[in-house]
Amino acid sequence: MTTAPTTIYRNDYLPPTYFIDTTELDFQLFEEGALVRSRLQLRRNPDRQERELQLDGVDLELRRLAIDGRELSADEYELGQDKLILRNLPEAFELSCETWIKPQENFCLE
């Protein structure tokens, strides 16, 4: 199920709460979809006080989430239909994520 498109304006954007220093992506492609593994090295933006990270995404199935190698339980993050929110994060950390996607069904161009 996809959500209705919403307009996001440039003035809606804020400076990032966390900077991404390194991104590693691994894609395993299958006939019915793709398994995507990501590893991000993040550090907090010193100009922002918040310790919340919001990652947007539509039609993703979250399979695994870890910080610094420790797998998170479902009560340690908030997973909505189109976003993932992590709170109370350290100054710097590695975020590992595994998701299942179906690119052949993606018609929302996101």
Side-chain angles (χ1 to χ4, degrees):
M1 180 174 163
T2 54
T3 58
T6 57
T7 303
I8 301 173
Y9 298 97
R10 186 174 55 164
N11 61 350
D12 292 334
Y13 286 91
L14 296 170
T17 308
Y18 284 84
F19 295 119
I20 302 172
D21 292 322
T22 305
T23 301
E24 295 178 30
L25 296 172
D26 176 63
F27 296 89
Q28 291 185 355
L29 305 177
F30 303 93
E31 191 69 33
E32 63 278 1
L35 183 63
V36 181
R37 290 186 183 104
S38 64
R39 222 166 63 186
L40 308 173
Q41 298 292 331
L42 296 108
R43 64 184 161 84
R44 193 172 69 78
N45 179 348
D47 295 332
R48 299 286 304 269
Q49 296 302 312
E50 301 91 340
R51 290 184 181 266
E52 176 177 293
L53 176 65
Q54 178 176 307
L55 301 173
D56 296 328
V58 177
D59 293 333
L60 306 173
E61 178 188 323
L62 181 63
R63 294 209 169 160
R64 181 180 175 278
L65 188 63
I67 292 181
D68 292 331
R70 184 182 70 78
E71 195 157 341
L72 301 181
S73 62
D75 62 341
E76 293 182 274
Y77 57 87
E78 181 181 332
L79 182 60
Q81 183 152 351
D82 61 351
K83 66 184 70 170
L84 170 67
I85 300 173
L86 301 164
R87 294 186 176 87
N88 302 315
L89 297 166
E91 291 288 316
F93 61 96
E94 177 183 276
L95 177 64
S96 300
C97 188
E98 182 175 295
T99 56
W100 177 256
I101 63 173
K102 294 182 180 179
Q104 70 276 18
E105 296 177 11
N106 181 352
F107 299 107
C108 64
L109 304 177
E110 290 190 24

